[in-house]
């Protein structure tokens, strides 16, 4: 009788263990299915936004980049500019006397009404204003 009860107890414990593992497996699969659905929606929205950019700006190169949080950079860059200007090829000056500094690790906003010259300023600062000549001085990390 004692041997039969020991076998019965072992059988009940093994059965309970199997049922517990089955329940955990079902919950894990359900969670994974939900995560796959959410990830799929995120991937679809990312692909949609990339296609939208490619459609409206075909010359714009879209880098395969995914935001992974903000981290401190190993190296930093400060940009300082004095009397920055842009002279067009016809002799007209469209940007004049802009002075300022973008400090490393600091966020900066360039604001102004439509037509104020925000894009012209950034194109000049980045060296992409090939339609004119940049005047003034610009220093990267003080040099």
């Amino acid at each position: 009788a004692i041997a039969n009860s020991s076998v019965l107890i072992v059988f009940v414990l093994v059965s309970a263990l199997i049922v517990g593992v089955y329940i955990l497996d079902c919950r894990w699969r359900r969670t994974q299915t939900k995560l796959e659905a959410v990830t799929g929606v995120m991937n679809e929205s990312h692909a949609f936004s990339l296609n939208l950019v490619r459609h409206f700006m075909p010359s714009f190169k879209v880098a395969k980049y995914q935001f992974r949080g903000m981290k401190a950079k190993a190296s930093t860059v400060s940009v300082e500019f004095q009397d920055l200007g842009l002279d067009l090829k016809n002799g007209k000056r469209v940007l004049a006397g802009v002075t300022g500094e973008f400090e490393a690790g600091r966020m900066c906003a360039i604001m102004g009404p439509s037509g104020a010259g925000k894009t012209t300023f950034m194109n000049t600062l980045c060296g992409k204003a090939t339609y004119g000549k940049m005047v003034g001085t610009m220093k990267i990390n003080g040099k």
Side-chain angles (χ1 to χ4, degrees):
I2 294 177
N4 287 341
S5 64
S6 296
V7 170
L8 183 62
I9 291 173
V10 168
F11 178 74
V12 169
L13 288 176
V14 169
S15 298
L17 183 63
I18 290 173
V19 169
V21 169
Y22 176 75
I23 290 171
L24 285 175
D25 183 59
C26 288
R27 284 186 178 180
W28 182 81
R29 286 179 192 227
R30 198 173 324 130
T31 303
Q32 291 302 311
T33 304
K34 287 179 184 177
L35 288 174
E36 286 174 6
V38 169
T39 303
V41 169
M42 288 174 56
N43 287 341
E44 287 175 14
S45 65
H46 183 69
F48 177 77
S49 63
L50 289 177
N51 286 334
L52 194 63
V53 169
R54 286 185 186 118
H55 177 73
F56 286 109
M57 295 183 282
S59 63
F60 188 76
K61 289 185 179 180
V62 180
K64 289 187 176 184
Y65 171 78
Q66 187 172 0
F67 181 72
R68 293 191 185 358
M70 296 179 73
K71 301 174 189 169
K73 301 291 181 188
S75 63
T76 58
V77 176
S78 291
V79 178
E80 183 181 341
F81 44 94
Q82 295 174 344
D83 295 322
L84 188 68
L86 181 68
D87 292 335
L88 297 180
K89 293 177 182 175
N90 64 6
K92 187 177 177 184
R93 180 170 279 187
V94 292
L95 191 67
V98 181
T99 300
E101 179 180 4
F102 296 138
E103 295 179 14
R106 299 292 305 243
M107 187 178 294
C108 181
I110 299 171
M111 302 186 327
S114 179
K118 300 175 297 292
T119 303
T120 302
F121 164 64
M122 287 305 295
N123 285 342
T124 303
L125 192 64
C126 296
K128 295 196 177 249
T130 57
Y131 43 88
K133 180 182 179 214
M134 182 185 99
V135 294
T137 59
M138 186 169 67
K139 296 180 182 178
I140 308 293
N141 288 336
K143 299 177 184 176

